[in-house]
């Protein structure tokens, strides 16, 4: 069992930055890779980025490369998503999720077993 808790969402002006955090707990969370997904208003949930705890594998949605950065703090059992140069179209509920390492692919939300409750990010124009 893995528990995930997101934090760091909020309201920001276009061009601003936010850092989201995903705190993981549970006996086996180190066996899981962590992904960030988002669900924009009226759209399906989509992949944003993913990382393994060793940071040996990192992937991003191509359109977000250069603006978003995913990282880990193993001492805090936390995965971060640094979001810079935010745009109104980045407005969404952001979720972190856990996928057993070696299972499926990083960008397929169906391959993730555990999900956090989500955190709202709103970017004003």
């Amino acid at each position: 069992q893995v528990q995930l808790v997101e934090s760091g969402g909020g309201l920001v002006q276009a061009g601003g930055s936010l850092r989201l955090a995903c705190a993981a707990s549970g006996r086996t969370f180190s066996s899981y890779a962590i992904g960030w997904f988002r669900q924009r208003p009226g759209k399906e949930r989509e992949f944003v980025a993913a990382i393994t705890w060793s940071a040996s594998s990192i992937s991003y949605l191509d359109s977000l490369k250069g603006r978003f950065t995913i990282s880990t703090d193993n001492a805090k059992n936390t995965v971060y998503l640094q979001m810079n140069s935010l745009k109104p179209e980045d407005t969404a509920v952001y979720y972190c999720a856990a996928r057993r390492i070696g299972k499926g692919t990083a960008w397929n939300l169906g391959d993730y077993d555990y999900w956090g409750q989500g955190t709202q990010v709103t970017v004003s124009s």
Side-chain angles (χ1 to χ4, degrees), residues 47-59:
F47 171 75
V48 172
I51 192 168
T52 54
W53 288 101
S54 64
S56 60
S57 177
I58 298 175
S59 55

Side-chain angles (χ1 to χ4, degrees), residues 15 37-38 48 54 57 59-60 64 71 74 87 90:
F37 290 78
R38 68 183 182 183
V48 172
S54 64
S57 177
S59 55
Y60 294 96
L64 299 178
S71 63
N74 291 308
K87 305 175 182 180
D90 293 317

Side-chain angles (χ1 to χ4, degrees), residues 2 4 29 32-35 96-100 111-116:
V2 177
L4 303 169
F29 74 88
Y32 289 78
I34 302 297
C96 66
R99 172 179 61 89
R100 185 172 288 278
D111 288 329
Y112 287 77
D113 299 307
Y114 302 99
W115 291 83

Side-chain angles (χ1 to χ4, degrees), residues 38-120:
R38 68 183 182 183
Q39 189 158 15
R40 295 184 283 179
K43 296 190 179 294
E44 293 186 351
R45 197 171 299 189
E46 64 179 349
F47 171 75
V48 172
I51 192 168
T52 54
W53 288 101
S54 64
S56 60
S57 177
I58 298 175
S59 55
Y60 294 96
L61 181 67
D62 283 347
S63 61
L64 299 178
K65 285 181 181 177
R67 291 198 301 124
F68 288 18
T69 303
I70 192 170
S71 63
T72 62
D73 184 335
N74 291 308
K76 296 182 178 179
N77 299 337
T78 299
V79 173
Y80 297 101
L81 184 69
Q82 177 69 43
M83 306 186 295
N84 297 329
S85 302
L86 283 163
K87 305 175 182 180
E89 52 264 42
D90 293 317
T91 294
V93 178
Y94 284 74
Y95 299 88
C96 66
R99 172 179 61 89
R100 185 172 288 278
I101 293 173
K103 175 184 176 183
T105 58
W107 52 88
N108 182 9
L109 79 169
D111 288 329
Y112 287 77
D113 299 307
Y114 302 99
W115 291 83
Q117 81 287 353
T119 186
Q120 176 71 46

